[in-house]
Amino acid sequence: MNCMDNVVVTGYSQNRYMIMLLELRDEDNYVCKKIFNFTDMERIATHSIISEDNIVYIVDSYNNKINKFDFNSNKYKGTTVGRDPRHLCKNDENIYVTNFESDNISVIDIENFTLTGSIPAGIKPHDIKLCESNNYLYISCYEENHIIECDLQGSIKNYFNTEGKPMHFFIENKNIIAMTYYTNGNIYTKINFINLITEEIEDVIKIKGLASDMDYDIKNNLLYVINIDDKSLYIIDTKKRNILKRIFIGGYPEGLSFGENNIYVTNSKKNQISVIDIATFFITRNIDLEFSPACIKVVNLF
């Protein structure tokens, strides 16, 4: 039996919100290795997930919380941040969280997992990344059409303009790869390639419709983008800066993640995870679930 990847998936079943650790397999579909049921909350809105070692951090936009799950100890802890948190990043000491409706960044001490302060940000901060080479934070400001560069104390060092309202982005070598929204009669998603040195937008890839999620496969120089309007996954070559393939998923593609050999797309309407082979860009199978999935993250457990 060939095991593919371990993934953390959030989802709903019979009015219960769950967080599950699934082992995806080629033949037996999947094995649920661990499950956590939220019983004290009427509603949860998971916006993003990050993982490190055996710990997973989940952003709950509805309850204004960051949830921490340790799969070694099977312990859960939550801490309250600003209004409508969206994304987070971390270093060895702190977690930094964008609060879309509070226009600031919450700072959480990792050791105690408590809120220790906040940093002012632009209007509607959405995504956030920490660049290890200069130890700066980069924050996409949705209502200001730019990405802010600042130090860990919040002192702004630079602004990078974007075509459209910036949402998700990644930093790769000397470039920012940013997903933005643009409306001109119709809604378009634009993938901006911004040079960190010249501060110029070098290329823009335009996709008709609304992209909801993307992930960056730095090893293969590939960007994976979900378009909820045409219900498709787009594969973008970040070196040649063009669209390699559009893969129709159908239903309602919700979230995505990738492993060594496969891309995984959750489908909340079909109650499935679509498995796409990275080498061929074909859907190899759809894994039927007993719940409605939302976010997904490939995790490496030790």
Side-chain angles (χ1 to χ4, degrees), residues 263-290:
I263 309 162
Y264 304 102
V265 179
T266 59
N267 197 310
S268 59
K269 189 172 183 179
K270 292 184 175 183
N271 290 357
Q272 290 179 338
I273 296 175
S274 294
V275 182
I276 298 97
D277 180 70
I278 292 176
T280 63
F281 300 150
F282 282 103
I283 299 175
T284 57
R285 63 198 184 97
N286 292 301
I287 300 174
D288 292 322
L289 304 172
E290 297 176 357

Side-chain angles (χ1 to χ4, degrees), residues 10-124:
T10 63
Y12 285 91
S13 177
Q14 298 178 348
N15 295 322
R16 292 181 303 142
Y17 189 83
M18 304 173 295
I19 296 169
M20 289 147 287
L21 175 62
L22 307 181
E23 181 184 279
L24 304 182
R25 296 181 174 181
D26 278 343
E27 297 177 11
D28 289 344
N29 284 331
Y30 71 91
V31 173
C32 185
K33 301 176 74 173
K34 295 191 179 183
I35 185 169
F36 181 87
N37 290 298
F38 282 91
T39 58
D40 58 340
M41 298 180 185
E42 293 182 358
R43 179 181 170 187
I44 293 176
T46 302
H47 195 93
S48 61
I49 302 174
I50 70 168
S51 66
E52 185 177 69
D53 298 332
N54 291 331
I55 296 176
V56 174
Y57 301 94
I58 297 179
V59 179
D60 178 2
S61 298
Y62 183 80
N63 295 291
N64 302 327
K65 284 183 174 293
I66 305 301
N67 300 308
K68 174 184 177 182
F69 297 87
D70 189 325
F71 287 115
N72 280 337
S73 63
N74 288 323
K75 290 183 177 180
Y76 151 78
K77 189 174 183 180
T79 188
T80 301
V81 291
R83 289 182 293 118
D84 195 4
R86 296 294 180 91
H87 288 269
L88 60 86
C89 67
K90 63 184 288 295
N91 58 16
D92 292 334
E93 298 178 353
N94 296 308
I95 296 170
Y96 302 90
V97 184
T98 55
N99 299 307
F100 196 71
E101 294 296 337
S102 295
D103 297 337
N104 65 358
I105 309 299
S106 292
V107 183
I108 299 171
D109 174 71
I110 288 180
E111 184 176 357
N112 299 309
F113 202 63
T114 55
L115 182 68
T116 58
S118 65
I119 297 172
I123 302 175
K124 307 291 186 187

